[in-house]
Amino acid sequence: MKERLQKYMARAGIASRRHSEEIIAAGRVKVNGAVVREPGAKIEPGHDVVTVDNKTAKVEKKVYILLNKPSGYVTTLKDPQGRPVVTDLSKEIPQRVYPVGRLDYSTEGLLLLTNDGRLAYALTHPRHEIQKIYHALVKGVPSIEKINQMKKGIDLSDGTTAPARVRIIGKQMGDTLLEIGIHEGKNRQVRRMCEHIGHPVLQLKRVKIGNLTLHGLSKGRHRHLTHQEIKQLTTMALPKSKY
Ligand code: URA
């Protein structure tokens, strides 16, 4: 199906549609080797070769990976200290994917990796209120008052946390397993919330993001999201989009 050149350029990550129109008008874009300046020009993706400043503009297939991160991996593409990074676990994926948000080095669990920058941005934006659920094993047994404090909001150095869902789901040899649901992504938020109430985290695992769970995915393994999952996530994160 034919597509407007500026839309194709936007999908290829060159610039916004509007800015792409300016780039076209400036004569920087060629289609099959010939400069195209008309704003309404259409191309056939996958067939016509589009270059901008003589560099090929390619639309990469969008991929969405769900990883069960083990502890001992850094959520980045390259670690200056040479520690293992999360993308080491998805090396056979040909596209360059980026982690959505961050899990600490010693946090385990659900991490999304994608090359869809728009969805990644929307998912991490607190305005969209995508719920993330963590299981935190904390030292000792927090009182109801302390749990209520976490539910209401905790004053951290970078602001007060939004209301959270918190409940006790288990006890382990004098320590407590909490289920904590938040929709913000402040740095080390869960650890700092628990520290603040005097019950530091001993182990932390993210078990859910929106509708996605770790179900059936063992530690260190990953899988592609299903079409249905991508659709649900997109609707949640980009409710008014034309996806
Ligand atoms: N909160 C934390 O404290 N650490 C994480 O890795 C994720 C959320």
Side-chain angles (χ1 to χ4, degrees):
M1 212 170 58
K2 290 217 168 207
E3 182 175 30
R4 275 178 190 263
L5 189 50
Q6 62 267 41
K7 186 171 174 204
Y8 177 85
M9 286 168 63
R11 285 203 302 126
I14 304 290
S16 66
R17 283 190 209 183
R18 214 156 147 195
H19 188 206
S20 295
E21 283 172 13
E22 291 167 16
I23 297 174
I24 296 167
R28 292 167 55 193
V29 181
K30 288 182 192 158
V31 177
N32 303 325
V35 173
V36 171
R37 285 176 191 267
E38 313 81 81
K42 286 195 169 174
I43 59 129
E44 184 82 41
H47 180 263
D48 291 325
V49 178
V50 177
T51 60
V52 179
D53 299 333
N54 295 319
K55 276 193 238 116
T56 309
K58 246 192 172 160
V59 176
E60 264 205 332
K61 182 175 179 269
K62 295 264 195 294
V63 285
Y64 306 85
I65 309 294
L66 194 152
L67 169 73
N68 186 352
K69 176 192 175 298
S71 90
Y73 283 80
V74 189
T75 308
T76 181
L77 300 187
K78 194 155 172 48
D79 181 47
Q81 296 172 46
R83 292 172 296 179
V85 296
V86 286
T87 44
D88 290 345
L89 297 163
S90 61
K91 275 201 169 131
E92 84 293 352
I93 291 163
Q95 291 82 6
R96 194 174 167 82
V97 288
Y98 301 86
V100 179
R102 208 173 72 88
L103 289 181
D104 300 331
Y105 182 68
S106 53
T107 301
E108 296 177 8
L110 206 157
L111 184 69
L112 278 173
L113 303 167
T114 185
N115 55 356
D116 182 344
R118 208 158 96 89
L119 183 66
Y121 174 76
L123 281 172
T124 48
H125 202 292
R127 180 158 53 91
H128 294 108
E129 307 213 345
I130 307 292
Q131 170 116 309
K132 282 157 273 180
I133 298 183
Y134 295 86
H135 285 175
L137 181 67
V138 300
K139 198 161 168 49
V141 184
S143 63
I144 295 294
E145 290 74 30
K146 298 252 172 102
I147 301 261
N148 285 340
Q149 213 182 324
M150 283 177 93
K151 282 186 182 171
K152 269 201 216 137
I154 302 261
D155 287 327
L156 298 177
S157 54
D158 50 351
T160 306
T161 59
R165 276 180 39 195
V166 185
R167 65 188 183 109
I168 294 176
I169 54 169
K171 300 243 166 85
Q172 281 180 29
M173 311 209 314
D175 298 323
T176 307
L177 190 59
L178 297 178
E179 184 172 86
I180 302 172
I182 58 173
H183 58 76
E184 303 167 288
K186 292 185 194 296
N187 189 30
R188 297 183 69 253
Q189 180 164 341
V190 173
R191 289 177 198 273
R192 288 194 292 148
M193 286 167 75
C194 296
E195 241 158 60
H196 189 94
I197 60 157
H199 295 276
V201 166
L202 303 172
Q203 275 174 27
L204 186 59
K205 181 174 183 174
R206 181 155 66 191
V207 295
K208 205 168 176 200
I209 300 177
N211 56 320
L212 303 172
T213 70
L214 284 172
H215 187 74
L217 199 61
S218 48
K219 212 182 281 184
R221 303 304 297 264
H222 65 274
R223 68 169 175 86
H224 286 267
L225 295 192
T226 64
H227 288 300
Q228 178 75 3
E229 286 170 333
I230 297 166
K231 213 169 147 195
Q232 283 177 348
L233 210 57
T234 306
T235 316
M236 238 187 285
L238 301 161
K240 292 192 198 85
S241 88
K242 289 186 277 171
Y243 266 84

